[in-house]
Amino acid sequence: MNAIALKTEAPALVIDDHPIVLQGCRRVLEDAGIERIAEATSVVAGYRMFLRLRPGTVICDLTFQGSGLAGLHLIRRMRNVNPAARILVFSMHNDPVIVSRALEAGALGYVLKDHASGELFEAFERVRAGQPYLDRRLATEVAMLRTDPKRTPETQLTPRELQILQRLAQGKSYGTIASDLSVSYKTVTNACSLMRQKLGVRTLAELIHVAVTQAQRQG
């Protein structure tokens, strides 16, 4: 991969909790001529660094240890702060529903971690230039999903609701979920009530069944 000597005033930010991934992203950014590269290994640290540095482009994972798909919420928060933020998701998740959620949250591009570094380089260059990026297979699957009338939890629930649903699948109580997410007990109960309405289920038991089924599908 040939290095391209480009300059950028704003730094690039990589948010991922795997050291090897951070190293790989750094090499790609250096090949793209990026001299100022910041790294964060958690959602909280990534958001704080985003606020402080105002990076031109962000490479962000979706899944963080102990936080599930917290990257979706992080992308929304970054775009709320800066609607012009150029965010590239670099993830292991190839489920078109999750890809669609990331794009809806505000990501401009999405690339899979099991692809060659050359594709990450191409995706970064496209996103940095303000252009969307999806490989052909993902683009086709996302397009088909959006024309499918079948509704799934990922297409109907907010990132916070998905976090709660994930913990319900783990058998956690309302109180434990509230503690895990640093929210009130009432917030959790209200969210579960709203999720039952959105998903068309009547009882907590039915909601838990949906949660377990969803967790099994995601593997």
Side-chain angles (χ1 to χ4, degrees):
M1 185 163 50
N2 295 327
I4 299 178
L6 298 175
K7 301 295 183 180
T8 182
E9 294 181 0
L13 173 61
V14 183
I15 309 172
D16 198 294
D17 58 0
H18 292 84
I20 293 177
V21 174
L22 290 175
Q23 293 174 13
C25 288
R26 176 172 285 276
R27 285 196 295 270
V28 167
L29 293 174
E30 289 172 347
D31 284 342
I34 304 298
E35 297 180 352
R36 298 175 60 202
I37 303 169
E39 298 173 352
T41 58
S42 71
V43 169
V44 172
Y47 184 64
R48 289 175 177 170
M49 199 164 288
F50 179 83
L51 293 178
R52 180 166 58 88
L53 298 179
R54 300 288 174 152
T57 311
V58 179
I59 297 177
C60 182
D61 196 0
L62 292 182
T63 306
F64 292 82
Q65 187 173 4
S67 301
L69 290 169
L72 289 174
H73 183 56
L74 174 60
I75 291 170
R76 290 186 187 278
R77 293 185 70 188
M78 290 191 291
R79 284 299 301 272
N80 284 338
V81 171
N82 179 13
R86 296 171 180 178
I87 302 171
L88 171 64
V89 171
F90 189 39
S91 171
M92 63 179 286
H93 292 289
N94 61 5
D95 187 329
V97 174
I98 295 178
V99 177
S100 181
R101 289 285 292 180
L103 298 177
E104 290 170 1
L108 191 55
Y110 196 109
V111 85
L112 297 175
K113 286 185 175 180
D114 60 359
H115 286 193
S117 60
E119 183 169 347
L120 176 60
F121 178 85
E122 179 184 355
F124 175 79
E125 291 286 73
R126 291 273 293 275
V127 169
R128 180 165 63 145
Q131 302 171 6
Y133 181 88
L134 273 180
D135 71 33
R136 183 173 299 177
R137 182 183 65 81
L138 278 182
T140 299
E141 291 180 353
V142 169
M144 291 176 63
L145 176 70
R146 291 179 173 179
T147 59
D148 187 345
K150 183 179 179 181
R151 303 286 287 172
T152 63
E154 294 97 330
T155 63
Q156 299 178 76
L157 305 182
T158 66
R160 173 66 79 195
E161 289 167 347
L162 286 172
Q163 289 179 321
I164 294 172
L165 192 69
Q166 179 187 51
R167 285 161 175 78
L168 286 175
Q170 297 168 352
K172 294 186 177 182
S173 67
Y174 284 172
T176 301
I177 295 172
S179 178
D180 285 351
L181 300 178
S182 299
V183 298
S184 69
Y185 184 92
K186 185 176 181 180
T187 296
V188 176
T189 59
N190 288 344
C192 288
S193 177
L194 185 57
M195 282 193 287
R196 289 199 298 271
Q197 295 177 31
K198 289 182 177 181
L199 300 175
V201 300
R202 294 176 297 175
T203 66
L204 176 60
E206 290 175 339
L207 182 61
I208 292 174
H209 175 72
V210 170
V212 172
T213 301
Q214 180 68 14
Q216 292 173 342
R217 189 173 72 83
Q218 290 183 348

